[in-house]
Amino acid sequence: VTLTDRFAALGIDNAPGQQATGAAAESPATVSIPSGPAVDFSHGDVEAFTPTPGALDAFLAAFHAGATQAYSEYRGHAAVREPLAERISEFVGMPVNPAEQIIITPGTQAALFLALSSLIGTGDKVAVVEPDYFANRKIVKYLEAELLPVGLTYLDTDRPAELDLDQLRDALVAGARVVVFSNPNNPTGVVYGEGQVRRIAELANEFDAYVVADQLYSRLIYPGTAYTHLVAGGIRPERCVTVLGPSKTESLSGFRTGVAVAPADVIKRMEKLLAIVSLRTAGYNQSVLNVWLNEPEGWLAQRIADHQAIRDDLVGVFAAADGFRVRPTEGGSYVFPHVPELTVPMPEFIRVLREHAHVIVTPGTEFGPHHGAGIRLNFSQDRARAVDAAHRIIATAKEFSR
Amino acid sequence: VTLTDRFAALGIDNAPGQQATGAAAESPATVSIPSGPAVDFSHGDVEAFTPTPGALDAFLAAFHAGATQAYSEYRGHAAVREPLAERISEFVGMPVNPAEQIIITPGTQAALFLALSSLIGTGDKVAVVEPDYFANRKIVKYLEAELLPVGLTYLDTDRPAELDLDQLRDALVAGARVVVFSNPNNPTGVVYGEGQVRRIAELANEFDAYVVADQLYSRLIYPGTAYTHLVAGGIRPERCVTVLGPSKTESLSGFRTGVAVAPADVIKRMEKLLAIVSLRTAGYNQSVLNVWLNEPEGWLAQRIADHQAIRDDLVGVFAAADGFRVRPTEGGSYVFPHVPELTVPMPEFIRVLREHAHVIVTPGTEFGPHHGAGIRLNFSQDRARAVDAAHRIIATAKEFSR
């Protein structure tokens, strides 16, 4: 595999925030595309949902403290890690040693990269859920590992979503050393039931595999859904990496901090790699974690309720639209409707949405090669504008319907 | 090469800021180690030299602007890159296309990692100057490339420091595809003369090799020394990566931002890799670059003068000390004195310095396998405390002298 091949596998043109900025192309003359105020569903709107109270003050306190805050150990300030480990421990339901089992990373993306790079060598086999967060597949390919896909059924809304446990077992039998998945699932909003989580843990234990669980959205769980942390599902702690962070739910993405909880030997490797990748998470930014998992009474419940209202609106709008299929989000702020068959290729539909309807969505192909019928919307947005934009998506699809 | 081997090559225990935090060991009973106020020479003191005026305001403006600032293209906000490219262009003396030839990175460390990873594949040969910034060697090893060392003579203070151009040519003849070096050199403070820079460029051109020039300290050049940017030294721009950033000189390390200027195809690769490594530099932090290369009249001259005063003091103190050898720093804020022969191994001397003399220095072995007689001091410190700590280093060495 040449370096050119490795980078060819890392396409970013369709990734969130990377939409082409060239001149708008002409819309097909025979269709009429509704326009309206721009909505960028590729990420959350930090104005519609503002950052956690106290986040900026925490940053400022670090800046003004000066020398002790500008630099830290590569794994992060001990003074931040210590109370944080205690709060995470309570949240996920297992003891977390602040000195050895936690690392602060420049975003959860970095936590994923460092964890997977610490566990996966050239030619290793890795079980990757599809659809799932797009970077998982890219990282595995960049590491020149072999990707063994594990399906997730989610479109049948009458039944719980299901990870294909037979495919997971097959991947482990075939020699997968690492399993990576997000819960809640990105892009579908599926939350795995306790039975599924326990079964994943059992299989990992049986085959002595590592599991990297991206639990970035595990605080944003809607009423009626129970959440089971992987570490609480029976997995051996020495084989489990949990990725967490205050980003979308808390609207703190602009600070780029994340956290991984992992066995001491894995944290050591992650820290060594962070040292050459970026040294450390920005010193002042780390302190923003002090307000995380530490919000005012009622804050999280309100944030969940506000997101739930938008979810209900959007799911209702797409469910009622001709030919659209959508599963109600159980956790997180994504909805992943499938679009009816169109007379134009999906990339063209998405381009017209962006340039003429002023709605940016992320194509399903980012999340798995067989998920091109879906489009991902991050609904952490202004409610009325989001609903309005959803109607424009539907009207645009209608213009291109067969 | 197994994953275990790759990580074994990434030692960080002696890296700046990573000093063991265990209980202090006993000092040898037969010696008397002077104590004093703690000085950490492993990095600069952002209280002694405060951040560039306006840096915090730039950050706050971005935070309060909200949605447009939290996220950016992976290569960084266009609104930051555009004026910055113009200022960098003026600084380094070549045109820089803001859309294609510049990327904002989470620190210059990330710029180095992304650039080298974009250019070096498994088994490739890389010419690495010794001594030089410790991460260069670690990154090359992590990428499973072959390191071809190129010597730098710097101890003879009567002559200009010299890169061993014969060794560089040998490395290129042997097939080195990439050359990496810092200028000013870290840890010695050497600034390469125009003749040397031109010769490096000629050799790179002759062998069609890439050169990655870490010019992090190129603004902090002391009177009497002329600085030649590599891009102004005749190298073909399509083979040159320049790493720059507002960190130590400007005391902005706590924000972790850096910049690379490179050919468009290299920037594309760096951006793809950044996308999976950390997505982007923290959105709000990027705006701090707006005050960089953009300081109030006279600010930089004053900062250089203040550092020069400390350099003169420290170089004077070490030059006068029995058995110490030191080259006056020509650029940057490092001094790299060689310590006289001791009755204890260097790691023990450094431990005693830290635990009993309360002085933290970085061992020379971090910068090259044959440079264990040197210790690196970042003198971006309070002047009086730095001088006092230098005397404690000398007194401690005397206690252990043969």
Side-chain angles (χ1 to χ4, degrees), chain A residues 18 74 109 256 276 280, chain B residues 18 67 74 109 256 276 280:
Chain A
Q18 291 293 109
Y74 298 146
Q109 177 71 48
R256 286 216 68 62
I276 61 167
R280 64 178 67 79
Chain B
Q18 292 292 107
Y74 298 146
Q109 176 70 47
R256 287 216 68 62
I276 60 167
R280 63 178 68 78

Side-chain angles (χ1 to χ4, degrees), chain B residues 13-365:
Chain B
D13 290 349
N14 293 311
Q18 292 292 107
Q19 295 78 19
T21 51
E26 287 302 304
S27 137
T30 54
V31 299
S32 144
I33 309 298
S35 185
V39 173
D40 183 353
F41 282 119
S42 72
H43 50 63
D45 178 348
V46 299
E47 292 173 27
F49 287 94
T50 55
T52 317
L56 182 61
D57 290 341
F59 178 94
L60 289 172
F63 178 83
H64 292 300
T68 59
Q69 295 297 313
Y71 296 88
S72 73
E73 278 183 78
Y74 298 146
R75 61 179 61 192
H77 289 298
V80 176
R81 277 185 284 123
E82 279 161 22
L84 180 59
E86 208 173 301
R87 299 196 300 275
I88 288 178
S89 173
E90 193 174 320
F91 177 56
V92 303
M94 74 165 239
V96 177
N97 179 327
E100 297 190 337
Q101 297 178 327
I102 187 169
I103 184 169
I104 297 171
T105 58
T108 47
Q109 176 70 47
L112 267 177
F113 178 80
L114 299 174
L116 294 175
S117 299
S118 297
L119 298 173
I120 299 170
T122 309
D124 281 347
K125 296 189 172 84
V126 183
V128 179
V129 173
E130 287 181 358
D132 209 320
Y133 180 51
F134 52 86
N136 297 352
R137 281 172 34 247
K138 290 176 189 175
I139 294 171
V140 169
K141 285 181 188 170
Y142 178 73
L143 296 173
E144 303 185 61
E146 188 182 338
L147 192 150
L148 304 178
V150 177
L152 164 66
T153 57
Y154 57 92
L155 271 183
D156 184 349
T157 57
D158 298 335
R159 306 188 318 154
E162 274 193 354
L163 191 76
D164 189 327
L165 291 167
D166 292 333
Q167 275 185 4
L168 176 57
R169 169 174 269 280
D170 289 347
L172 291 163
V173 168
R177 293 166 42 90
V178 176
V179 180
V180 56
F181 76 113
S182 59
N183 184 23
N185 175 264
N186 176 349
T188 65
V190 161
V191 169
Y192 294 98
E194 185 183 351
Q196 289 249 310
V197 173
R198 290 200 168 276
R199 197 67 195 111
I200 293 167
E202 279 168 20
L203 283 168
N205 290 349
E206 180 182 343
F207 290 90
D208 197 27
Y210 281 93
V211 183
V212 177
D214 172 0
Q215 303 192 171
L216 179 55
Y217 284 98
S218 56
R219 302 185 75 200
L220 197 61
I221 305 298
Y222 300 109
T225 298
Y227 188 85
T228 307
H229 291 278
L230 180 63
V231 292
I235 195 167
R236 288 160 53 216
E238 61 269 33
R239 290 292 177 269
C240 179
V241 179
T242 303
V243 171
L244 294 164
S247 90
K248 309 298 194 302
T249 308
E250 297 83 357
S251 294
L252 296 175
S253 303
F255 290 100
R256 287 216 68 62
T257 62
V259 170
V261 175
D265 57 336
V266 176
I267 294 287
K268 264 189 198 160
R269 283 192 177 184
M270 292 175 70
E271 182 180 34
K272 282 180 168 190
L273 186 53
L274 179 57
I276 60 167
V277 160
S278 186
L279 281 181
R280 63 178 68 78
T281 306
Y284 306 136
N285 298 40
Q286 293 180 35
S287 288
V288 170
L289 289 167
N290 289 332
V291 302
W292 179 56
L293 288 166
N294 204 12
E295 297 85 358
E297 185 75 27
W299 179 89
L300 184 63
Q302 186 61 50
R303 184 139 292 204
I304 292 171
D306 291 344
H307 278 91
Q308 191 182 352
I310 305 171
R311 175 201 70 168
D312 291 347
D313 284 355
L314 292 191
V315 167
V317 166
F318 285 115
D322 246 15
F324 276 81
R325 300 176 68 189
V326 63
R327 180 183 192 89
T329 307
E330 294 152 355
S333 63
Y334 295 118
V335 66
F336 191 63
H338 278 227
V339 176
E341 229 181 310
L342 304 172
T343 56
V344 291
M346 188 60 110
E348 173 67 5
F349 173 67
I350 286 176
R351 188 189 63 75
V352 170
L353 274 185
R354 182 177 69 239
E355 295 177 2
H356 298 277
H358 302 132
V359 180
I360 295 176
V361 301
T362 304
T365 43

Side-chain angles (χ1 to χ4, degrees), chain A residues 278-296:
Chain A
S278 187
L279 282 181
R280 64 178 67 79
T281 305
Y284 306 137
N285 298 39
Q286 293 179 35
S287 288
V288 170
L289 289 167
N290 289 331
V291 302
W292 179 55
L293 288 167
N294 204 11
E295 298 84 359

Side-chain angles (χ1 to χ4, degrees), chain A residues 3 111 242 254 336 357 363 375:
Chain A
L3 206 53
T242 302
F336 191 63
I375 53 176

